[in-house]
Amino acid sequence: MTTAPIPEHVLDIQGLRITLPGTARPVLDGVDLTVAAGETVSLVGESGSGKTLTSRSALRLLPPGAVTEGAVRVNGDDVLTMDEGRLRALRTGTAAMVFQDPRAALNPLRRIGDFLTESVRTESVRTTRRADATARATELLHAVGLDASVLHKYPGQVSGGMLQRVMIAAALMGDPALLLADEPTTALDVTTQAEVVALLARLRERFGTGLLFVTHDLDLAAAISDRVYVMYAGRIAEQGPADELFAHPRHPYTAALLAATPRLETAKGRLSAIEGQPPDLRTALTGCAFAARCAIATEVCDERAPRPRTAPGRPEHLAACHHSDRLEGSAADA
């Protein structure tokens, strides 16, 4: 009897292209992204760059009318071609998402205990007793720093930080191989943000879960990530190990994002900003999506979309820029 090979990645997105009705170009245009077991990968970029849609594709949570190309494999299985039964099993066991606004994800009229246990009870009703599901929920609440009294409370009776911890516990109820976190700290104060990020890091180590962390906060991505993907206009602009990418960015967009990040040591005056706006989805692109906002763009940038190029001596660091060599060594001072 032969056993199926264990996939190298818990998430493997290859050539993902998603087109929506009424748009002149794909919302996602040839996205390649991987997450290994026990690895934290951050996806960063401005609002509207395609980060959330990329993460939701792992659960096939796509907008109405979406047309897809490419493959999105979770634990080796292509989510885009699954039937409804397999997709339901994946969403309740193999992969889970922590959404940005926890209050929007919970029914305010139901107790938190019911929310935590309903997914495993619904999917495995014949094998999971209510007592076992409650015990598992209690265990995970302790893991995220809460006690069993939360089970009997309603969402409106706990703070936003506690509720986000509940969401993380809920995501772990099915022992997922992949955890998708869509800006899970945006609605929280700075202290609670730090606690949630530290919690995610501890849980990843404890359970060996692969984590895709979606954020617009570059400092946060640097603190939590093993690798980082920088996204712009539905394309991956740059990718690489977190420390290397932030120390030596090779795409003008990454460098501009870093320059626009507020620092305590920054001189007084106006903060740096990226001039212009991201391209409109109603406008087709023929070259580099960032060309209109780029200070080093040339004629070739308008004519031809750049392909990812590796950094000299750093094969895991890629940038989709015709002039990436001109940025070598200039980042941290940008």
Side-chain angles (χ1 to χ4, degrees):
M1 179 179 178
T2 59
T3 59
I6 299 174
E8 181 180 357
H9 301 105
V10 293
L11 176 62
D12 185 5
I13 299 176
Q14 296 296 325
L16 178 60
R17 181 171 283 101
I18 297 179
T19 305
L20 298 179
T23 60
R25 61 178 176 84
V27 182
L28 297 183
D29 193 3
V31 172
D32 295 334
L33 181 150
T34 61
V35 180
E39 180 184 35
T40 296
V41 172
S42 281
L43 186 57
V44 304
E46 292 173 288
S47 296
S49 59
K51 306 185 301 296
T52 293
L53 186 57
T54 299
S55 65
R56 290 191 175 208
S57 71
L59 297 174
R60 210 166 83 192
L61 295 174
L62 304 176
V67 178
T68 62
E69 300 176 43
V72 180
R73 297 184 180 89
V74 176
N75 255 7
D77 296 322
D78 192 350
V79 178
L80 301 181
T81 60
M82 283 182 177
D83 60 37
E84 292 300 322
R86 293 175 62 202
L87 181 61
R88 189 180 307 110
L90 176 135
R91 290 174 176 174
T92 56
T94 309
M97 176 168 276
V98 179
F99 294 95
Q100 180 174 342
D101 182 3
R103 296 200 185 277
L106 278 80
N107 185 336
L109 303 180
R110 299 191 65 195
R111 297 182 190 274
I112 288 172
D114 294 331
F115 167 73
L116 287 172
T117 59
E118 66 181 352
S119 63
V120 292
R121 289 281 297 158
T122 300
E123 184 63 23
S124 308
V125 66
R126 295 183 179 177
T127 58
T128 304
R129 296 184 301 114
R130 181 180 296 277
D132 293 335
T134 301
R136 172 66 173 164
T138 302
E139 175 193 356
L140 288 171
L141 285 175
H142 285 303
V144 299
L146 301 175
D147 59 49
S149 66
V150 174
L151 292 170
H152 308 290
K153 294 181 179 180
Y154 291 93
Q157 294 177 306
V158 300
S159 68
M162 292 175 68
L163 209 56
Q164 193 62 287
R165 291 169 182 264
V166 168
M167 290 299 299
I168 295 171
L172 295 171
M173 280 293 291
D175 292 321
L178 172 66
L179 185 60
L180 308 157
D182 184 10
E183 302 201 33
T185 63
T186 299
L188 307 177
D189 61 76
V190 175
T191 301
T192 308
Q193 283 185 18
E195 292 174 351
V196 170
V197 168
L199 171 62
L200 286 170
R202 291 197 303 272
L203 293 174
R204 181 204 65 173
E205 294 177 1
R206 176 176 172 181
F207 295 102
T209 306
L211 173 62
L212 178 62
F213 193 87
V214 175
T215 182
H216 61 271
D217 188 329
L218 272 71
D219 284 341
L220 187 56
I224 196 174
S225 307
D226 299 305
R227 292 186 299 117
V228 174
Y229 289 79
V230 180
M231 179 169 263
Y232 184 77
R235 300 173 180 173
I236 300 299
E238 187 168 4
Q239 61 177 286
D243 53 352
E244 186 176 296
L245 184 144
F246 289 131
H248 304 288
R250 290 176 54 80
H251 196 287
Y253 179 56
T254 309
L257 287 175
L258 288 168
T261 302
R263 309 285 182 191
L264 289 176
E265 64 272 15
T266 301
K268 293 183 179 179
R270 291 180 62 86
L271 293 173
S272 176
I274 305 175
E275 298 294 331
Q277 298 291 329
D280 195 303
L281 280 169
R282 295 168 296 182
T283 303
L285 294 174
T286 56
C288 175
F290 190 63
R293 307 173 73 187
C294 182
I296 64 172
T298 61
E299 186 176 340
V300 68
C301 302
D302 292 320
E303 295 175 347
R304 180 161 46 89
R307 297 182 63 83
R309 302 166 60 191
T310 59
R314 303 196 299 274
E316 294 184 347
H317 189 176
L318 294 86
C321 176
H322 293 297
H323 307 299
S324 56
D325 293 343
R326 293 175 58 181
L327 292 176
E328 182 68 26
S330 65
D333 308 325

